[in-house]
Amino acid sequence: MVPAYNEIDNVPLLVEAVAAALPDVRWEIVFVDDDSPDGTAARVRDLAMRDHRVRIVHRVGRRGLASACVEGVMATAAPYVAVMDADLQHDERLLGRMLATLREGNVDLVVGSRYCAGGGLGDWAKGRAAASRLATRMAVMLTRTPIGDPMSGFFMMTRAAFERSLPKLSTVGFKILLDIAASAPAPLRVAELPYVFRCRQFGDSKLDALVLWEYLQLILDKAFGRIVPIRFIGFGLVGAIGLAIHFLILSALYLGVGLSFGASQLAATVVAISNNFFLNNLLTYRDQRLRGPALVRGWLTFNLVCATGAVANIGIAEWLFVQHTYWMLSAVAGVLISVVWNYTMSSLFTWRKR
């Protein structure tokens, strides 16, 4: 199973490499393409017309590496399933050893590891390598499965083990192995085989700051997702950033510039709400991101929703205060009601699924 986005040049090379790595194995390779603008899906279809082992799942209007992996695995009936990237950075020569290890029947999962003896990160910059190790330590705390490289995107497992984890998968972010291990009803039996991470030859890396946000979402979802929806947590985090911006602007205009309190409060509110809208559009609702005219309509509806939420905040807090509730508890209650209102209504009207 190979998730792909803008990998048109790598697709034929990967198919050739897999064929060379598994000469005596009945295999198929399922590319899951998120409607790449470079024509990746068309290139895969062209290959599939000449090689029945090549398949394509072309997704339109859906994005995400983890969800792509799930759809790719569910699109095949193979008893053993592997996940690897389309960028040729994973060593496909390891696939044969992974399969042989699984066929012995003593493990559920074989991980291509960069951190066990013989593995390596290749030519990664020191900063990226340090960030990867930190993320790995955080991931280990979440799983009951001892994996030295839970952030690896290169692994093979039995279908039975995958399907046991499937009901609780978050499909949030880009680290599907961590999701599988943390969702397993019982600790998985794991073997790790070393490999050295290669440099990308064609195309651009998909790693960016948004990937770090998705990783944080996955960690929070596995820690608190059974209690609070992960999207609501993200919405709340963005709201906290907006609150800080609100007070920063209010202080600058009222105390620094000498503008009246009312005018300063109005300006701070408008900027904070706009900040929350654009950050939520970029992060919290990344999979439903608004663009073009829809972005303008979304901004208007979000302002209306938040304005109503602000009225509810003030009204509920005032009512509780009149009922002799401690002033701080009254304020917190008003804020919570406002956040829940804003999240619910913006989900229905601003980022509603079409």
Side-chain angles (χ1 to χ4, degrees), residues 202-319:
F202 301 104
D204 298 319
S205 173
K206 310 305 185 296
L207 287 175
D208 56 26
L210 296 183
V211 166
L212 299 178
W213 171 264
E214 288 186 344
Y215 176 68
L216 175 61
Q217 280 189 307
L218 177 58
I219 294 291
L220 291 173
D221 187 49
K222 287 306 171 188
F224 307 108
R226 297 175 184 175
I227 305 171
V228 182
I230 183 59
R231 206 187 288 273
F232 179 77
I233 295 176
F235 193 89
L237 290 175
V238 168
I241 295 172
L243 185 63
I245 290 175
H246 178 100
F247 280 106
L248 180 64
I249 294 175
L250 176 62
S251 300
L253 293 179
Y254 180 60
L255 300 177
V257 179
L259 200 64
S260 69
F261 179 80
S264 301
Q265 177 77 341
L266 176 61
T269 300
V270 171
V271 172
I273 289 176
S274 294
N275 168 82
N276 287 3
F277 169 74
F278 288 110
L279 275 184
N280 277 314
N281 192 54
L282 180 68
L283 301 173
T284 311
Y285 294 92
R286 186 181 181 185
D287 58 327
Q288 298 169 228
R289 189 175 298 166
L290 303 175
R291 294 180 173 86
L295 184 67
V296 177
R297 290 194 297 270
W299 180 80
L300 291 173
T301 61
F302 189 75
N303 274 271
L304 290 174
V305 165
C306 290
T308 307
V311 172
N313 179 348
I314 295 170
I316 290 170
E318 178 69 20
W319 181 82

Side-chain angles (χ1 to χ4, degrees), residues 35-96:
D35 201 25
S36 301
D38 72 344
T40 295
R43 175 63 63 86
V44 176
R45 287 193 188 93
D46 180 61
L47 291 171
M49 293 292 290
R50 292 178 277 115
D51 188 338
H52 69 278
R53 299 171 299 183
V54 179
R55 297 177 55 199
I56 176 71
V57 174
H58 186 173
R59 306 198 307 174
V60 178
R62 302 197 305 284
R63 293 286 298 273
L65 189 147
S67 60
C69 290
V70 172
E71 290 192 36
V73 170
M74 299 308 291
T76 176
Y80 304 100
V81 293
V83 173
M84 64 188 302
D85 289 346
D87 54 18
L88 303 176
Q89 292 182 294
H90 294 150
D91 190 348
E92 74 289 335
R93 295 171 298 179
L94 205 60
L95 290 171

Side-chain angles (χ1 to χ4, degrees), residues 93-108:
R93 295 171 298 179
L94 205 60
L95 290 171
R97 288 180 59 197
M98 287 178 164
L99 181 59
T101 303
L102 283 175
R103 281 177 167 171
E104 291 175 0
N106 298 318
V107 297
D108 307 301

Side-chain angles (χ1 to χ4, degrees), residues 172-190:
V172 172
F174 68 110
K175 291 305 179 185
I176 185 65
L177 176 59
L178 170 59
D179 199 357
I180 289 171
S183 301
L188 297 171
R189 299 173 299 166
V190 180

Side-chain angles (χ1 to χ4, degrees), residues 290 294 297-298 301-302 305 341-354:
L290 303 175
R297 290 194 297 270
T301 61
F302 189 75
V305 165
W341 167 269
N342 291 346
Y343 171 72
T344 304
M345 293 298 105
S346 62
S347 296
L348 290 173
F349 297 106
T350 304
W351 288 283
R352 65 184 184 275
K353 290 188 177 181
R354 295 169 175 79

